[in-house]
Amino acid sequence: MSEAPNPSTPNQDRNTENWFTSWFDTPYYHILYKDRNYREAQIFMDNLTHYLNLPEKAKVLDLACGKGRHSIYLNQLGFTVLGADLSENSIAEASKNSNETLHFKVHDMREPFEEKFDAIFNLFTSFGYFENDDDNLTTLKAIKESLSEYGFAVIDFMNVNQVIETLVPEEVKTVDGIDFNIKRYVEDGHIFKEIDFEDQGKKYHFTEKVKALTLQNFQDLMDEAGIYLLDIFGDYKLKKFHKTESERLIMIFK
């Protein structure tokens, strides 16, 4: 499904259409982001499930689940959880935590599920990766089709306005003895992160590219998909969304 990354290929010559399949499947992705705040993620799930008032043993889909940190905690809260991700390596790792009410599968978020869910969570800016903008609409339609009649969906996205305003153009982040040289910039309506590093004598280069979707962009897409935006929050404590100050753009819809 994913090609092995070519570490020496300059970015401008790379096919960025599936940058996420090669980057997310490398061990370096998980090394770079190993210090993500698990407690913060748990507080978010506590607040979100309480707000949604999900029924006991509700069926929850964690869409683009990565290694399953949210899925595992949601299952601990008593929900029946399916974690889905395009990365085979991430799903293989997440599946080590499987049980009767927690499962994981490789899945493309552009495709709807046959089964229906009481809640679908797309968390930690796991949207807007596709090269073709039409795929964002396709994904929203797939989410809508996968919801039960009374189900809710949640997209937790970055607040683009705040991210661009506070963008750090260059930094070096050292993790496990590897110096990750990171460059960030905005171009053609996308936020780019160029990641260069060397390990065991080999040089590597990866690119993260996310569509700079604003609240208005999401509203337009949701209107087109026949989706109803019910509520908007600006952080993991579910505080009110502020266009320029909020760290997150968290949207509840059905």
Side-chain angles (χ1 to χ4, degrees), residues 219-238:
Q219 287 175 320
D220 293 343
L221 284 168
M222 288 178 181
D223 286 345
E224 195 171 344
I227 283 169
Y228 300 99
L229 183 58
L230 304 172
D231 220 336
I232 310 160
F233 299 108
D235 66 15
Y236 293 147
K237 295 178 181 177
L238 303 189

Side-chain angles (χ1 to χ4, degrees), residues 56 94 102 110 164 171 218 245 252:
E56 192 176 347
L102 174 63
R110 291 168 287 193
I164 291 174
E171 69 171 319
F218 273 108
E245 295 176 12
I252 318 285

Side-chain angles (χ1 to χ4, degrees), residues 23 26-33 178 180 197 199 204 206:
W23 175 219
T26 72
Y28 298 111
Y29 170 80
H30 299 290
I31 291 171
L32 178 58
Y33 294 117
I178 300 172
F180 293 93
F197 57 94
D199 185 41
Y204 294 88
F206 293 98

Side-chain angles (χ1 to χ4, degrees), residues 39-54:
R39 183 63 194 135
E40 183 182 59
Q42 291 177 352
I43 290 170
F44 181 32
M45 293 301 95
D46 288 341
N47 292 334
L48 195 55
T49 54
H50 180 75
Y51 169 83
L52 293 174
N53 195 23
L54 294 178

Side-chain angles (χ1 to χ4, degrees), residues 121-180:
F121 297 156
N122 178 250
L123 306 169
F124 213 75
T125 309
S126 301
F127 194 92
Y129 292 171
F130 302 110
E131 191 70 16
N132 186 342
D133 287 345
D134 291 342
D135 286 337
N136 295 321
L137 178 61
T138 301
T139 300
L140 284 177
K141 288 179 177 178
I143 290 173
K144 181 188 177 186
E145 286 182 43
S146 305
L147 280 174
S148 65
E149 184 180 355
Y150 301 105
F152 296 95
V154 180
I155 290 179
D156 159 35
F157 200 69
M158 60 181 163
N159 177 14
V160 166
N161 298 309
Q162 192 261 0
V163 166
I164 291 174
E165 184 67 28
T166 60
L167 201 68
V168 178
E170 294 188 28
E171 69 171 319
V172 178
K173 188 175 180 182
T174 303
V175 188
D176 290 357
I178 300 172
D179 294 330
F180 293 93

Side-chain angles (χ1 to χ4, degrees), residues 11-17 19 23 33 125 128-131 158 160 163-164 167-171 181-196 205-213:
N11 178 57
Q12 58 265 34
D13 295 331
R14 284 182 61 103
N15 175 8
T16 59
E17 184 171 354
W19 64 262
W23 175 219
Y33 294 117
T125 309
Y129 292 171
F130 302 110
E131 191 70 16
M158 60 181 163
V160 166
V163 166
I164 291 174
L167 201 68
V168 178
E170 294 188 28
E171 69 171 319
N181 295 277
I182 300 169
K183 293 183 179 180
R184 302 178 180 88
Y185 57 92
V186 182
E187 187 178 284
D188 296 332
H190 291 78
I191 296 173
F192 286 82
K193 184 189 287 187
E194 304 274 2
I195 303 161
D196 289 277
H205 174 89
F206 293 98
T207 302
E208 293 182 12
K209 176 185 177 184
V210 182
K211 181 79 172 174
L213 293 163

